[in-house]
Amino acid sequence: MSPKQQRGEATVELLLDTALRVYAEGGEQALTVNAVTKASGVSLGSLYHHFGSIDGLVDALLMRWLERLLGEMVTALEHSRTARTGVRALTRAYLSFVREHREAGMLLHSSRADRLGMTQAARLRDAQEARLTPMAAWVAHHVEKGEIAPLPVPLIESLVLGPVVGAARRWLTFGDIDLDEAARVLPERIWRSISAEPE
Amino acid sequence: MSPKQQRGEATVELLLDTALRVYAEGGEQALTVNAVTKASGVSLGSLYHHFGSIDGLVDALLMRWLERLLGEMVTALEHSRTARTGVRALTRAYLSFVREHREAGMLLHSSRADRLGMTQAARLRDAQEARLTPMAAWVAHHVEKGEIAPLPVPLIESLVLGPVVGAARRWLTFGDIDLDEAARVLPERIWRSISAEPE
DNA sequence: GTGCTTCTAGAAAATCATTCTATTTCCGCG
DNA sequence: CGCGGAAATAGAATGATTTTCTAGAAGCAC
């Protein structure tokens, strides 16, 4: 199903770009096959040839941006020596991403992201193993080094990502959060929650 | 749009109950007007009379359960003397709720919950002011008492609810979290993150 | 029981997703 | 070249789902 010819590649790109634009302009209900074909000039046949269904298209769009987001998060971790700085870098990477790609961020946080009964996390696990495994490994590694409290990895991940995702979500839909302040304050607060050091 | 007669009330109840059942049995794609009318025996006309659209129906279903969840959370807070015990009670209330109402929990956490471009949080603010305001007030109160760190209320809320929602979500879709352990461990960890005490 | 509103009912219309068949474009290979 | 098959484009036809619309039945106040 992935394109074998260059024109196919171009069509796929065009469709994905157009889909995000349509979503950005008209919101979720606007994201229909018809709207995307009209706005892109691509025919129905091509859309279905490449994506199989409207969900397939949205899916691919989500994947594209999720890949980017996770990539930046993993990079942030890899460039950090200690667990503490890792948390800071991860938080900043995440918040910068949603600030710089508002529409994509909204798509990732909202609604369609859970299509087909999978949550963002589940989707990650299935298709982004290459990105997720390093994060879990990173956590496990720092737990073993005694920096992070000896808790199950999923709980650590909830403690770290939960507040970051929550703050991003809130900024996206409400705007009652100052992203700079969040990037400054959350990391140290999150760190207190997962640190192995006694209270 | 809300029913004025008893039979109307009964129809609304029946539709909401049936909708959750249909969702529980067939997942998101199964939740169609047709499926709900067939399964409930209620006519299309009645459904549209009461809810205006399929989204209106799903919306009302979400509201009904959100109301219950928030109610239990607020109750938990009100029965807690200190901020610390409040966090514990809140966490337990939330996790108990999703355990006891799995399908409703899935509906609240997944997919449809963000319909119409509003996140769960935004939805809260709009329609559940009566429930949300007490929570914000509770936070503000304990900030003033010097128990909780002097941060903006939205950040505190992200730090508290983020991990809880994340863990619940993960349990619902993955099952790789032990809810009892989460209920035991998360509160103290969350507390460390929002406590006003120096590290 | 009259008059008004709410509610029920389901056929008809509109919208949207998908399938299908035909046609064109690309690309490797002789 | 130019032939043959795979990839891609095209859009009409079909199918599924939501929504509108009109008609009438049931409740309620007086």
Side-chain angles (χ1 to χ4, degrees):
Chain A
M1 203 108 94
S2 66
K4 313 281 178 181
Q5 298 179 6
Q6 284 184 0
R7 58 180 177 155
E9 191 63 49
T11 303
V12 165
E13 292 300 307
L14 177 58
L15 283 171
L16 290 176
D17 290 348
T18 307
L20 184 60
R21 187 158 51 82
V22 168
Y23 171 79
E25 284 167 7
E28 166 142 359
Q29 340 87 358
L31 196 45
T32 68
V33 205
N34 223 313
V36 175
T37 52
K38 283 267 165 58
S40 64
V42 173
S43 76
L44 252 179
S46 289
L47 192 156
Y48 274 87
H49 174 73
H50 289 294
F51 295 106
S53 72
I54 181 65
D55 283 352
L57 171 59
V58 176
D59 232 52
L61 186 57
L62 285 166
M63 280 305 170
R64 152 185 281 207
W65 287 100
L66 204 48
E67 171 76 18
R68 284 181 70 162
L69 172 55
L70 287 173
E72 292 184 17
M73 289 165 74
V74 169
T75 300
L77 287 186
E78 283 169 350
H79 284 56
S80 306
R81 201 70 59 81
T82 68
R84 184 169 196 154
T85 57
V87 168
R88 189 198 328 270
L90 188 77
T91 303
R92 293 194 170 165
Y94 198 106
L95 296 180
S96 295
F97 182 91
V98 298
R99 195 208 308 268
E100 282 162 34
H101 310 286
R102 206 171 198 291
E103 292 85 11
M106 292 184 66
L107 193 61
L108 282 175
H109 282 87
S110 247
S111 212
R112 294 256 193 179
D114 290 315
R115 284 210 88 116
L116 314 178
M118 305 174 69
T119 72
Q120 201 168 336
R123 185 181 297 282
L124 293 183
R125 176 154 309 196
D126 267 24
Q128 306 288 327
E129 194 98 30
R131 298 294 189 184
L132 263 201
T133 306
M135 292 184 51
W138 184 89
V139 170
H141 175 241
H142 286 280
V143 167
E144 275 173 28
K145 277 177 63 182
E147 296 177 81
I148 296 178
L151 295 172
V153 170
L155 283 184
I156 299 289
E157 290 180 352
S158 296
L159 283 164
V160 174
L161 291 179
V164 176
V165 172
R169 214 183 178 97
R170 191 133 177 183
W171 179 77
L172 284 167
T173 55
F174 264 145
D176 66 349
I177 275 190
D178 177 342
L179 273 195
D180 290 322
E181 185 178 23
R184 210 178 332 113
V185 165
L186 285 186
E188 58 182 66
R189 290 287 156 181
I190 292 171
W191 174 251
R192 288 173 66 158
S193 76
I194 65 167
S195 161
E197 294 165 19
E199 194 176 348
Chain B
M1 202 109 95
S2 67
K4 313 282 179 183
Q5 298 177 4
Q6 284 185 359
R7 57 178 178 157
E9 191 63 49
T11 303
V12 164
E13 292 300 307
L14 177 58
L15 283 171
L16 290 176
D17 290 348
T18 307
L20 184 60
R21 186 160 51 84
V22 167
Y23 171 80
E25 285 167 8
E28 166 142 1
Q29 340 87 1
L31 196 44
T32 69
V33 206
N34 223 312
V36 175
T37 51
K38 284 267 165 58
S40 64
V42 173
S43 75
L44 254 178
S46 288
L47 192 158
Y48 274 87
H49 173 74
H50 290 294
F51 297 107
S53 73
I54 180 65
D55 283 352
L57 171 60
V58 176
D59 231 52
L61 186 56
L62 285 166
M63 279 308 170
R64 152 186 280 208
W65 287 98
L66 204 48
E67 170 76 19
R68 284 182 70 162
L69 172 56
L70 287 172
E72 292 184 17
M73 290 165 74
V74 169
T75 300
L77 287 186
E78 283 170 350
H79 284 56
S80 306
R81 201 69 60 80
T82 68
R84 185 170 196 154
T85 57
V87 168
R88 190 199 327 270
L90 188 76
T91 303
R92 295 194 169 165
Y94 198 106
L95 296 181
S96 295
F97 182 91
V98 299
R99 194 209 306 268
E100 282 163 34
H101 310 286
R102 207 171 197 289
E103 292 84 11
M106 291 186 67
L107 194 61
L108 282 173
H109 283 88
S110 248
S111 209
R112 294 256 193 180
D114 290 314
R115 284 208 89 115
L116 314 177
M118 304 174 68
T119 72
Q120 201 169 335
R123 185 182 296 282
L124 293 184
R125 176 153 309 194
D126 267 25
Q128 306 290 327
E129 195 99 30
R131 299 293 189 184
L132 263 201
T133 305
M135 293 184 51
W138 185 88
V139 170
H141 175 242
H142 287 279
V143 167
E144 275 172 28
K145 277 176 64 182
E147 296 178 81
I148 297 179
L151 295 172
V153 170
L155 283 184
I156 299 290
E157 291 180 353
S158 296
L159 283 164
V160 175
L161 292 178
V164 177
V165 172
R169 213 182 179 95
R170 192 132 176 182
W171 178 77
L172 284 168
T173 56
F174 262 144
D176 67 349
I177 275 190
D178 177 342
L179 274 196
D180 289 322
E181 184 178 24
R184 211 179 330 113
V185 165
L186 285 185
E188 58 182 66
R189 291 287 155 181
I190 292 171
W191 176 251
R192 288 173 66 159
S193 76
I194 65 169
S195 161
E197 294 166 18
E199 193 178 348

